[in-house]
């Protein structure tokens, strides 16, 4: 990957826009040290300021991935340090990227619309963008779309359809969706009449997996929501009691 970084840098210096995009992504995240059989390549430090400059330039060329990356970097700033202009720029970029078909941007825009972050809350529009992003295969959007159906937000409650979206996201490895699928699958007497109990090991809740969910929650920051869902599993599951999962 470090060799790729150098190759993209050369191509970026030559003015190739897609190379500049990839180079900016490397600059945003940096690269860890690499070890090969004959040598060790030192890590490459991230340079967020240069990455932001490049993303802003490329966003001006209406490149959706650049618009999304720019928005993500602006919104990553603490709210107290982010200006109203930066927030507006971020939302504008996400909207343009989403309208251009960038699925990840659709999901992020939907999140902002749902919770009113920097924009007036609008659950109907949030549902619209979650639905489009979920259909394009974005796991987090699939989970949130499942939540809309599960709780009957904007649409009529439909736990079967919710479970279908949770399963898609769970199969893609999204932790919150795995939690919800586990809750559905191990509910006594199949309360929701969605799926019968399964032997799918990836969806079986164990104490180790619960601890992993709580300690490795980089993908889904809402600890309170995870706690609530785990509490639901504890309260409704005879399996949890049978195997003394605490």
């Amino acid at each position: 990957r470090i060799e790729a970084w150098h190759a993209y840098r050369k191509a970026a210096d030559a003015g190739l826009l897609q190379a500049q995009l990839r180079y900016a992504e490397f600059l945003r995240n940096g690269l860890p040290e690499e070890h090969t059989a004959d040598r060790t390549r030192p890590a490459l430090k991230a340079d967020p300021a240069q990455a932001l400059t490049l993303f802003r330039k490329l966003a001006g060329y209406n490149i959706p991935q650049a618009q999304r990356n720019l928005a993500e970097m602006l919104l990553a700033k603490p709210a107290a340090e982010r200006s109203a202009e930066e927030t507006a720029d971020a939302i504008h970029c996400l909207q343009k990227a989403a309208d251009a078909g960038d699925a990840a941007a659709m999901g992020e825009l939907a999140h902002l619309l749902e919770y009113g972050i920097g924009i007036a809350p609008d659950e109907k529009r949030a549902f619209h963008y979650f639905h489009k992003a979920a259909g394009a295969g974005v796991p987090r959007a699939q989970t949130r779309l499942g939540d809309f159906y599960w709780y009957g937000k904007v649409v009529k409650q439909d736990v079967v359809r919710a479970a279908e979206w949770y399963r898609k996201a769970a199969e893609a490895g999204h932790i919150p969706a795995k939690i919800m699928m586990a809750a559905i699958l191990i509910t006594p007497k199949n309360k929701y009449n969605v799926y019968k109990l399964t032997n799918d090991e990836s969806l079986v809740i164990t104490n180790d997996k619960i601890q992993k969910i709580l300690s490795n929650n980089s993908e889904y920051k809402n600890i309170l929501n995870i706690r609530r869902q785990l509490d639901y599993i504890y309260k409704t599951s005879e399996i949890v009691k049978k195997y003394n999962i605490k």
Side-chain angles (χ1 to χ4, degrees):
R1 294 181 63 195
I2 291 176
E3 288 182 354
W5 181 89
H6 288 294
Y8 279 121
R9 181 177 181 177
K10 288 181 180 179
D13 290 342
L16 298 178
L17 295 183
Q18 285 301 318
Q20 290 178 359
L21 176 64
R22 292 293 293 123
Y23 179 53
E25 290 171 348
F26 278 126
L27 288 171
R28 177 183 177 184
N29 301 308
L31 287 173
E33 186 177 78
E34 287 185 358
H35 300 276
T36 62
D38 58 339
R39 60 177 170 170
T40 297
R41 299 180 186 276
L44 294 172
K45 292 184 179 180
D47 189 340
Q50 189 178 353
L52 190 65
T53 298
L54 270 175
F55 284 136
R56 194 179 293 280
K57 170 191 170 183
L58 294 169
Y61 290 106
N62 291 321
I63 298 175
Q65 300 96 318
Q67 293 167 333
R68 170 169 46 81
N69 273 280
L70 174 60
E72 289 172 349
M73 292 191 72
L74 292 174
L75 293 171
K77 292 184 178 182
E81 299 175 13
R82 187 176 65 241
S83 69
E85 183 180 359
E86 287 176 324
T87 301
D89 284 347
I91 293 170
H92 176 69
C93 284
L94 279 181
Q95 183 70 69
K96 291 189 72 173
D99 291 344
D102 188 281
M106 293 175 193
E108 293 180 27
L109 179 61
H111 175 75
L112 299 182
L113 286 165
E114 182 181 8
Y115 293 104
I117 301 173
I119 191 171
D122 189 333
E123 289 190 339
K124 288 185 178 180
R125 285 186 67 205
F127 175 82
H128 168 75
Y129 282 111
F130 275 136
H131 201 287
K132 292 187 72 172
V138 178
R140 183 183 179 191
Q142 292 170 339
T143 301
R144 295 300 298 124
L145 184 61
D147 290 340
F148 270 72
Y149 281 113
W150 185 264
Y151 297 108
K153 293 175 64 175
V154 178
V155 294
K156 183 179 179 180
Q157 186 179 37
D158 187 336
V159 295
V160 174
R161 186 168 292 181
E164 290 171 353
W165 285 112
Y166 287 142
R167 178 174 284 279
K168 287 179 184 291
E171 289 173 349
H174 198 224
I175 290 174
K178 284 192 173 188
I179 294 171
M180 288 304 294
M181 279 307 302
I184 293 169
L185 292 166
I186 68 178
T187 297
K189 299 180 182 178
N190 201 15
K191 176 180 176 182
Y192 296 105
N193 195 29
V194 178
Y195 295 106
K196 295 180 179 179
L197 294 179
T198 180
N199 292 322
D200 185 345
E201 291 296 326
S202 69
L203 295 174
V204 174
I205 290 291
T206 66
N207 189 49
D208 287 344
K209 286 189 178 181
I210 289 171
Q211 293 303 320
K212 185 176 180 181
I213 287 168
L214 294 176
S215 62
N216 291 310
N217 189 35
S218 60
E219 186 179 1
Y220 197 75
K221 299 294 184 182
N222 193 342
I223 297 295
L224 291 178
N225 192 44
I226 285 183
R227 182 71 261 174
R228 174 179 58 77
Q229 293 178 40
L230 288 175
D231 285 343
Y232 172 77
I233 293 173
Y234 293 147
K235 290 175 183 177
T236 60
S237 175
E238 294 173 354
I239 294 178
V240 170
K241 295 176 183 177
K242 178 179 177 181
Y243 292 102
N244 195 29
I245 297 176
K246 297 180 180 179

